[in-house]
Amino acid sequence: MNQDILPHVPATLPVVVLDYVLGTLTHTSPARRRSALVLVLVALFLGVQVLGALRSTLNAPRIPPVPQWELDDALAAAYVPTPPTAQQRANHLRLSSLIESRRSAYPAALFTEAALAAESSPVVGVTAVILHWKRRKGLDLVLRHITRYPFIREVIVWNNRPGVDLSVETITLSAPPGSSLPLAELRIVNSPSNVHDAGKHLACSMASHEHCYFNDDDWLNVYMDTTYTKYLECCAGRGSAAGGGRIASNTLPIIHLEHRRWRFDNPTIDLHTGFTWLGTGSFAPRHLSRRFMQQQAATPLALSRDQSLVADMFFSLWTNAYPEQMPNDLVPIDVEGGEVGWSRGVDQWAVVYGNIRSAVRTLYTILSLSSPSLVPALFPTAPPPPESHTRAPCANDACLFVTSLTPFPPPSALRTSYAASPAGSRTGPGSVLGRAWRAVSRRGGGGNVWHLDGGAEVRSHRVLLRERERELESTEGPERGFDPTRRGWTVREHEARFSELEREDGRPAGGRESAWPGDEWWMRNGSWHLAVDGRGTDTCWESFRAPEADDHFGLTLVKPRAVRQLTIIGSPDLANIRGWEDLNGGGDSWEVLTVRGDGTGGWEPRSLLSRPRVVPLSLSLVSVTLSLDPIHTPTTYALRDEGNYEVDEEGREVAIRKVKIVSRGRKRERVRVCAWELDGWKF
Ligand SMILES: *[C@@H]1O[C@H](CO)[C@@H](O)[C@H](O)[C@H]1NC(C)=O
């Protein structure tokens, strides 16, 4: 028997309503059905609205604050250049004619695609990476300048000014003068935001050539040929295993002195690294930039956005090698009005010191863990190659000054200092920075994690450091030495330790090899470029100590040339330069050696046609002129049964590529060099 089930269900309001609605929706009258349907739809609509309103009032969305960089980007996009001052217009004219006056000594024929592809090519093609922000005139000058050099075969302009795109049509490149070499390839990346220095390594990573050249738009590197020549010699890493090579850069003498203190060494974990900026004209192998992109993902503290903006501060330190940096007189580009600098009103020095510290700490931690799961090692540990003796470009960009004499003690000179008082055990101005760094890393909190072995192991940097500390404290081992992860250690402290090397014997620059040169002496007398700056006897380079046997100084020529007469203006004992066969001078004398243009035969001792002609210029300066006995290409006769006969004194006169003056013994005085003349060519 069928029973209505409704009477058994508690007649609550919803059920009644539902019952009613269903009843009307299925009512026999069409008008009732339709109006009920409309009512149901309206009720549903209102219900959804009410729910939505409730939801948004109950959990109001958090509106993220507009990040500073978006504001900066908007400002840069809206930037209208101010007209240059009269001074800036004059600068522009001067720089333009300076650019026109320079041309490369490298023959363009070496840089055709076919020539570069040849296994035996003596040179390499280079991709130039130029950062651009607001300085449009500076960008044009830099591009016009660098593309006159045939080795620049590609240019990537990284445009950091969002909203104002650059296009290939609006940019003019130069062709290497007097050559039929095609223009360098031009690529433009219009970055969606100002990523500052990070753009350099993003751009270099996608370069078509294996070597990159970096230049910002506020410095004109008038030492293109010489920097390139040095790079080929010391740093391009050709012929070594994959992954070789170093940075070759340029800077002002005072900055060089500063960067020499930013070198770090700990042999027990193969840490040996140093700092350089890139923006004033630097060459580096492309694989360093590619590796740097990988390092950023693998480090215990993944770089924050702000840190990757200042990538230069991490890049050279994470190569775990000493960069090759040459001091010289840089040429700034100041040609446009308005606010075109990079500075954003932050405390620049605190940023620099903080980031260097952070970069060194990270490197130290990774090398101490030496985790086998990081294969291939992203932070190489190969021992550093010996420092290059090629020290500074000649002002005319046609030669380089070379010497074994350096005033800088190596970073290993601090081992005694760190053994005597451990890192961080000092108080001083640096400890303020130390606290700031700790505060920053605390704020980073647990968010700073890293992925070891494909993300299988995720740990915080600080946990790693603490574990490392405990491990070290529990081992009775050799002296710890330099350890930047110790509480309170700062870059300032490191600098102070270097500077103390100077004060130990209470004397200014000079005396002992491990002393640190003073600023004044280094800038006025010690910097190598003073020997070749084209300013004659107004400025002279002076060695830091008296030369010992085999100490030497000399020149590398960008383009080999035959040299018969060599004049050196310098200290009086240079009058004792002798031909190799004349041994009368003993330890007081010097000897001349050269290397041929094609490099064959290595260093050859040279004979002099006569005793040097010495003209005293003052009590402490003489001009010494040497007449070199020319060398000729051997002429070879093949005699049957007797092999080849080589006859010197015939054939063409040999052009030389390098010349050096070598000390035969310990000297009493420091040596000085002010100016040079090669067959009437003065510099
Ligand atoms: C150092 O350089 C200055 C300026 O060029 C010069 O006047 C001075 O004589 C130099 N000192 C020495 C010891 O050569």
Side-chain angles (χ1 to χ4, degrees):
M1 185 179 164
N2 276 339
Q3 248 189 344
D4 191 353
I5 57 159
L6 269 182
H8 302 284
V9 177
T12 52
L13 187 64
V15 175
V16 173
V17 170
L18 189 68
D19 189 38
Y20 174 76
V21 168
L22 287 175
T24 39
L25 277 175
T26 53
H27 201 268
T28 46
S29 148
R32 280 279 293 272
R33 285 208 302 273
R34 281 186 206 122
S35 51
L37 190 62
V38 168
L39 277 177
V40 165
L41 287 179
V42 168
L44 271 177
F45 176 75
L46 287 177
V48 168
Q49 290 294 306
V50 166
L51 275 179
L54 260 180
R55 187 167 171 272
S56 57
T57 35
L58 286 184
N59 54 124
R62 267 165 296 170
I63 302 165
V66 181
Q68 182 61 35
W69 52 272
E70 273 188 18
L71 300 177
D72 290 339
D73 283 349
L75 264 183
Y79 168 77
V80 181
T82 330
T85 61
Q87 178 64 50
Q88 285 165 333
R89 274 196 299 274
N91 287 348
H92 197 280
L93 280 178
R94 190 173 48 82
L95 292 177
S96 290
S97 60
L98 179 61
I99 289 170
E100 299 300 323
S101 73
R102 296 260 169 161
R103 61 185 292 170
S104 178
Y106 281 92
L110 289 176
F111 299 93
T112 60
E113 226 170 283
L116 285 175
E119 193 76 14
S120 59
S121 170
V123 293
V124 298
V126 175
T127 295
V129 171
I130 311 296
L131 283 203
H132 171 63
W133 190 43
K134 285 178 180 173
R135 290 179 280 244
R136 193 50 216 274
K137 292 201 180 85
L139 174 70
D140 287 339
L141 285 175
V142 168
L143 290 177
R144 250 169 60 201
H145 174 60
I146 62 168
T147 48
R148 290 171 66 86
Y149 293 81
F151 43 83
I152 302 293
R153 293 284 76 220
E154 180 184 46
V155 175
I156 302 180
V157 175
W158 186 276
N159 175 20
N160 262 333
R161 191 175 169 198
V164 185
D165 285 0
L166 295 178
S167 70
V168 175
E169 292 76 47
T170 58
I171 283 181
T172 359
L173 303 182
S174 313
S179 88
S180 56
L181 203 63
L183 287 186
E185 293 284 330
L186 173 62
R187 289 155 77 186
I188 293 174
V189 182
N190 289 303
S191 175
S193 170
N194 182 1
V195 298
H196 296 240
D197 289 344
K200 289 178 190 171
H201 305 290
L202 291 167
C204 177
S205 299
M206 57 193 195
S208 310
H209 296 275
E210 284 177 25
H211 305 271
C212 294
Y213 171 75
F214 300 97
N215 202 146
D216 293 346
D217 54 8
D218 52 350
W219 296 96
L220 198 66
N221 176 17
V222 294
Y223 311 103
M224 288 295 286
D225 266 2
T226 41
T227 319
Y228 179 68
T229 303
K230 174 164 180 185
Y231 176 70
L232 286 180
E233 200 176 276
C234 69
C235 302
R238 288 181 311 156
S240 64
R246 283 180 292 158
I247 306 169
S249 66
N250 263 310
T251 197
L252 290 167
I254 187 65
I255 309 288
H256 183 71
L257 182 82
E258 174 178 80
H259 290 182
R260 283 276 175 167
R261 285 196 192 95
W262 296 348
R263 291 190 172 199
F264 308 93
D265 150 281
N266 188 327
T268 52
I269 55 164
D270 293 316
L271 185 146
H272 32 64
T273 199
F275 181 86
T276 182
W277 300 113
L278 297 178
T280 51
S282 314
F283 290 89
R286 177 185 63 192
H287 77 86
L288 293 186
S289 285
R290 290 190 172 168
R291 192 176 63 197
F292 184 57
M293 306 311 295
Q294 296 170 321
Q295 286 172 338
Q296 293 185 40
T299 52
L301 278 169
L303 291 193
S304 66
R305 187 179 195 281
D306 281 345
Q307 283 175 322
S308 50
L309 295 193
V310 290
D312 267 14
M313 298 179 202
F314 292 80
F315 178 66
S316 65
L317 289 165
W318 283 2
T319 62
N320 198 22
Y322 300 117
E324 282 290 343
Q325 193 187 51
M326 295 196 288
N328 62 51
D329 295 324
L330 291 176
V331 178
I333 302 180
D334 175 17
V335 293
E336 39 227 310
E339 180 44 61
V340 291
W342 291 89
S343 160
R344 291 189 296 169
V346 284
D347 181 353
Q348 297 289 338
W349 281 114
V351 170
V352 172
Y353 279 95
N355 282 311
I356 290 177
R357 183 171 196 262
S358 160
V360 177
R361 290 181 76 139
T362 303
L363 181 66
Y364 179 92
T365 310
I366 295 210
L367 295 179
S368 346
L369 294 166
S370 60
S371 165
S373 46
L374 279 178
V375 172
L378 287 176
F379 294 81
T381 52
E387 186 167 313
S388 167
H389 286 171
T390 308
R391 306 288 186 176
C394 301
N396 59 19
D397 197 30
C399 56
L400 294 128
F401 183 60
V402 181
T403 180
S404 61
L405 291 155
T406 171
F408 296 106
S412 56
L414 291 193
R415 286 179 198 166
T416 331
S417 164
Y418 275 110
S421 59
S425 63
R426 300 165 168 219
T427 51
S431 56
V432 177
L433 268 175
R435 280 199 296 278
W437 194 90
R438 281 196 297 280
V440 169
S441 45
R442 253 201 305 280
R443 226 179 313 135
N448 296 315
V449 291
W450 68 323
H451 299 258
L452 251 183
D453 199 14
E457 220 178 323
V458 180
R459 295 152 119 191
S460 99
H461 183 43
R462 282 180 302 134
V463 171
L464 285 169
L465 287 177
R466 268 203 301 275
E467 268 175 21
R468 171 83 189 140
E469 288 253 296
R470 270 200 295 275
E471 219 173 89
L472 281 171
E473 259 148 31
S474 60
T475 44
E476 305 268 338
E479 191 48 63
R480 269 194 225 181
F482 169 68
D483 177 356
T485 64
R486 287 185 67 95
R487 197 164 254 281
W489 178 81
T490 60
V491 179
R492 296 273 188 201
E493 172 191 318
H494 196 71
E495 288 178 335
R497 288 173 191 263
F498 267 123
S499 302
E500 278 161 23
L501 293 174
E502 173 194 7
R503 290 199 296 267
E504 264 168 35
D505 66 353
R507 278 194 290 162
R512 294 164 37 261
E513 188 146 14
S514 67
W516 192 257
D519 295 7
E520 274 295 300
W521 177 84
W522 166 249
M523 283 195 291
R524 290 155 59 97
N525 311 84
S527 176
W528 299 289
H529 81 290
L530 298 170
V532 286
D533 62 0
R535 283 183 283 174
T537 51
D538 288 349
T539 57
C540 302
W541 163 76
E542 174 186 75
S543 65
F544 190 58
R545 58 170 167 80
E548 309 268 339
D550 293 332
D551 270 326
H552 59 85
F553 67 91
L555 298 172
T556 294
L557 308 178
V558 172
K559 183 181 180 177
R561 59 191 283 154
V563 177
R564 294 218 168 163
Q565 263 203 355
L566 167 64
T567 301
I568 305 171
I569 296 176
S571 46
D573 71 319
L574 294 179
N576 293 322
I577 299 178
R578 297 283 179 265
W580 68 272
E581 66 280 17
D582 175 0
L583 298 173
N584 292 335
D588 278 343
S589 64
W590 299 81
E591 200 175 316
V592 191
L593 288 88
T594 59
V595 172
R596 297 176 182 224
D598 57 8
T600 54
W603 287 106
E604 283 176 82
R606 297 294 298 267
S607 303
L608 303 184
L609 290 176
S610 56
R611 291 286 292 252
R613 191 156 49 82
V614 181
V615 182
L617 301 179
S618 69
L619 278 181
S620 57
L621 284 185
V622 295
S623 158
V624 182
T625 302
L626 314 171
S627 299
L628 300 179
D629 189 8
I631 35 178
H632 293 271
T633 50
T635 310
T636 311
Y637 298 97
L639 292 187
R640 196 184 302 168
D641 304 329
E642 291 180 52
N644 289 345
Y645 268 89
E646 285 197 348
V647 180
D648 266 352
E649 314 303 327
E650 285 188 33
R652 279 175 299 113
E653 190 171 341
V654 167
I656 60 163
R657 184 177 173 69
K658 289 166 179 277
V659 56
K660 69 176 177 183
I661 315 290
V662 183
S663 173
R664 279 181 177 160
R666 169 176 300 209
K667 301 284 186 285
R668 279 177 292 269
E669 299 285 336
R670 304 173 185 196
V671 62
R672 281 200 290 153
V673 177
C674 312
W676 301 77
E677 191 177 326
L678 304 182
D679 289 326
W681 175 44
K682 293 184 180 186
F683 51 89

